[in-house]
Amino acid sequence: MTGVVRPGRPRSGEVDQAVLSVALDLVTTVGFRAVTIEGIAARAGVAKTTIYRRWPNRAAVVMDAFMVRVGSHTLFSPDEPFLLSVRHQMRTMAKAFRGEDGALVKALLAESQFDPELASAFRERWILPRRAMALAHFRSGVDQGAIRRDADLEATIDLLYAPIYYRLQMGTGPLSNTYIDSLFDHVMQGVRG
């Protein structure tokens, strides 16, 4: 029978989605400091133990929710030439950061200064995997001849992405396509093959 809700426990995927949705909603409405596992469990309609079986702490829940919301649509496109894929990815990231996703990143970065679990979760679940992904993509750019073989790829990644986070956090200017293109062009001038 389709369309009929059966009594009993929801499937695991439904529980995960409910918990992540509630966690994200709570972070954006009350802030990370006010989010608790108890509050997430109550609003999601699950037991605290259900959450603790899946996540070690509230920071991990919030970061997984963040990854679901922001992570997948800011990846490099494997179908585009290297330089175009980097510019496109940077523009997509900046566009996401101009809206609610940016407010969320800004809040998580700020709160991570005071919460070691959140700082660790943000670094381990967002920063380091994204950096590894970028490094692999930039190595492919070297292999394709788009970037000089002697270019410092770690520094190149810092030069391209640190200003985006700086502008987001400090509010020194808009994360416009014009800004992204200028940033991209300046950095790539120094490393192109």
Side-chain angles (χ1 to χ4, degrees), residues 41-54:
R43 287 209 27 205
V46 300
K48 289 188 310 184
T49 54
T50 299
I51 295 175
Y52 280 121
R53 275 196 299 268
R54 291 165 168 80

Side-chain angles (χ1 to χ4, degrees), residues 87 91-92 94-95 98 175-182:
R87 185 188 302 264
R91 280 181 166 201
T92 302
K95 181 179 179 183
R98 287 192 295 262
L175 288 172
S176 64
N177 284 345
T178 301
Y179 172 70
I180 295 300
D181 289 348
S182 175

Side-chain angles (χ1 to χ4, degrees), residues 13-189:
E14 292 172 354
V15 169
D16 289 354
Q17 186 171 350
V19 168
L20 295 176
S21 178
V22 165
L24 202 54
D25 184 54
L26 286 172
V27 167
T28 56
T29 57
V30 301
F32 179 77
R33 288 184 196 186
V35 174
T36 63
I37 294 293
E38 293 80 7
I40 295 170
R43 287 209 27 205
V46 300
K48 289 188 310 184
T49 54
T50 299
I51 295 175
Y52 280 121
R53 275 196 299 268
R54 291 165 168 80
W55 295 277
N57 54 50
R58 69 185 173 136
V61 177
V62 168
M63 282 310 303
D64 277 1
F66 172 75
M67 292 298 294
V68 167
R69 177 170 169 166
V70 180
S72 63
H73 65 273
T74 59
L75 302 175
F76 295 102
S77 173
D79 300 329
E80 295 176 325
F82 173 78
L83 292 173
L84 185 60
S85 72
V86 174
R87 185 188 302 264
H88 182 250
Q89 189 273 342
M90 288 177 68
R91 280 181 166 201
T92 302
M93 187 173 158
K95 181 179 179 183
F97 284 8
R98 287 192 295 262
E100 289 179 8
D101 293 347
L104 181 57
V105 170
K106 191 174 179 176
L108 292 175
L109 282 171
E111 288 297 328
S112 70
Q113 303 306 303
F114 307 102
D115 188 297
E117 285 181 345
L118 180 59
S120 177
F122 197 82
R123 185 176 47 258
E124 298 299 320
R125 294 173 186 249
W126 177 256
I127 298 295
L128 295 179
R130 306 250 334 156
R131 190 169 186 87
M133 173 192 70
L135 196 52
H137 192 67
F138 277 70
R139 284 184 182 129
S140 76
V142 170
D143 293 343
Q144 295 169 30
I147 295 182
R148 290 189 338 258
R149 290 212 172 271
D150 66 339
D152 183 335
L153 299 182
E154 296 274 354
T156 301
I157 292 166
D158 288 343
L159 289 167
L160 287 170
Y161 293 96
I164 295 172
Y165 285 95
Y166 180 81
R167 271 204 176 189
L168 174 68
Q169 203 63 13
M170 304 306 284
T172 57
L175 288 172
S176 64
N177 284 345
T178 301
Y179 172 70
I180 295 300
D181 289 348
S182 175
L183 181 61
F184 175 83
D185 291 340
H186 278 84
V187 173
M188 287 303 168
Q189 244 179 8

